Amino acid sequence: MRKKVILDVDTGADDAIAIMLAATCREMDLVACTTVYGNRHVDQTTTNTLAVLDHIGRQDVPVFKGADRPLVKTNNMDYASDNDGAPSSNLPVKWSHRQEDRQPAADFLVETFRTAKEPISLVALAPLTNIATCLAMEPKFTELVPDIVIMGGAHNGGNMTPAAEFNIWHDPDAAEAVFSAGFKTITLVTLDATHQALVARADCDRLASSKTAASQATAAIIRQLINAYDRSEEQISTGTAPVHDALAVASLLRPNLLRKCQGAVNVETLASPNIGQTTIDLKCKGAAARTVEIALNADGPEFVRYLTVALTGC
Ligand code: BDR
Ligand code: CA
């Protein structure tokens, strides 16, 4: 049976690859994408999501627009939308003439999990605002969702600030609500793990040599990411880039890509230099209800191999 999945995204470069992976892999049934602000304003992340799905011929996958700002703190994000319907220039995809569904993302998620006849995995690849909104709307949301995979958080330093990872930093209150809610199974794919699953230029060449729309676009996006990382001062080996969100999606079908341990996650929500920091307590002292599966390590070569095979139709 194909694994049913809903992706919550802020597309975005690596979200685009995660979407293409879920949408082209025959082992997965991509039920829908829900969007949220993060990498861009939600109008733009929605436009990008529609354009990516169209690019690979998956106009049948519905898209639901969600939150345009964090629950409580606005941090220092620019919320203005200058979206004119064009996908972001870093995405090698054309305009979509499709519209998102009219139902708000959180309404769709609550309704879908309330009425689901088969298990659906929820994969959150962005600030957790939509998921926290579902928790506020439906007190039983944690019981309705069989498993949730989250790309976010960091044990050994963040990418947004020295302490915080991007997705958690953008809405620490939402993240704290999610980690304390008591979901049955949370898998947290941290920055520590995604930085062990680096894709190199030679891997992009291999992807590009396959002529599928998904593999060609993925190669182009990752090449741009590699160039950006090479220009930045981040300590990543030259000529490589992590593809955070794609690792989270891949791990649904290939759990062995992640090395996991159990721990409790607390999020710093107070206005301080550490806001958005995830404190990962591997001893779970007094926090059984918060215990999640935490991936701090990943099998990089196996991820690259899987990505290459899957995008050409696994
Ligand atoms: C996360 O932040 C976003 O920029 C990426 O799409 C990914 O979800 C990595 O920290
Ligand atoms: Ca993302």
Side-chain angles (χ1 to χ4, degrees), residues 58-77:
R58 291 302 311 269
Q59 291 90 342
D60 58 304
V61 178
V63 175
F64 298 83
K65 182 154 75 173
D68 69 353
R69 64 196 60 216
L71 291 183
V72 184
K73 301 180 186 74
T74 53
N75 289 332
N76 49 2
M77 209 191 139

Side-chain angles (χ1 to χ4, degrees), residues 102-238:
R102 292 171 69 159
Q103 190 176 25
D107 292 20
F108 163 75
L109 288 168
V110 167
E111 186 185 308
T112 300
F113 282 101
R114 267 186 195 145
T115 56
K117 302 268 184 300
E118 291 170 38
I120 305 174
S121 298
L122 179 55
V123 182
L125 306 173
L128 292 166
T129 318
N130 286 343
I131 317 303
T133 304
C134 294
L135 289 169
M137 288 169 63
E138 167 54 274
K140 292 195 174 140
F141 194 65
T142 53
E143 293 164 40
L144 300 175
V145 177
D147 68 306
I148 171 164
V149 177
I150 297 171
M151 191 280 125
H155 195 39
N156 281 317
N159 55 357
M160 191 68 204
T161 70
E165 182 276 334
F166 181 98
N167 289 339
I168 306 298
W169 181 89
H170 270 89
D171 197 344
D173 300 281
E176 176 60 16
V178 168
F179 289 118
S180 60
F183 277 102
K184 290 182 224 169
T185 309
I186 296 183
T187 301
L188 183 66
V189 183
T190 65
L191 210 54
D192 308 72
T194 64
H195 278 236
Q196 291 182 9
L198 302 175
V199 182
R201 284 208 174 84
D203 304 318
C204 295
D205 295 345
R206 267 188 290 281
L207 275 165
S209 68
S210 160
K211 300 297 176 208
T212 69
S215 60
Q216 296 266 315
T218 296
I221 294 169
I222 300 177
R223 282 180 180 136
Q224 288 182 47
L225 286 172
I226 292 172
N227 291 341
Y229 274 106
D230 280 356
R231 282 194 303 272
S232 78
E233 291 175 359
E234 289 192 42
Q235 297 302 308
I236 291 182
S237 52
T238 311

Side-chain angles (χ1 to χ4, degrees), residues 40 62 89 102 116 139 238 241 261 274 278 284 306 310:
R40 304 271 190 284
S89 56
R102 292 171 69 159
T238 311
C261 48
N274 290 342
T278 42
C284 292
Y306 177 73

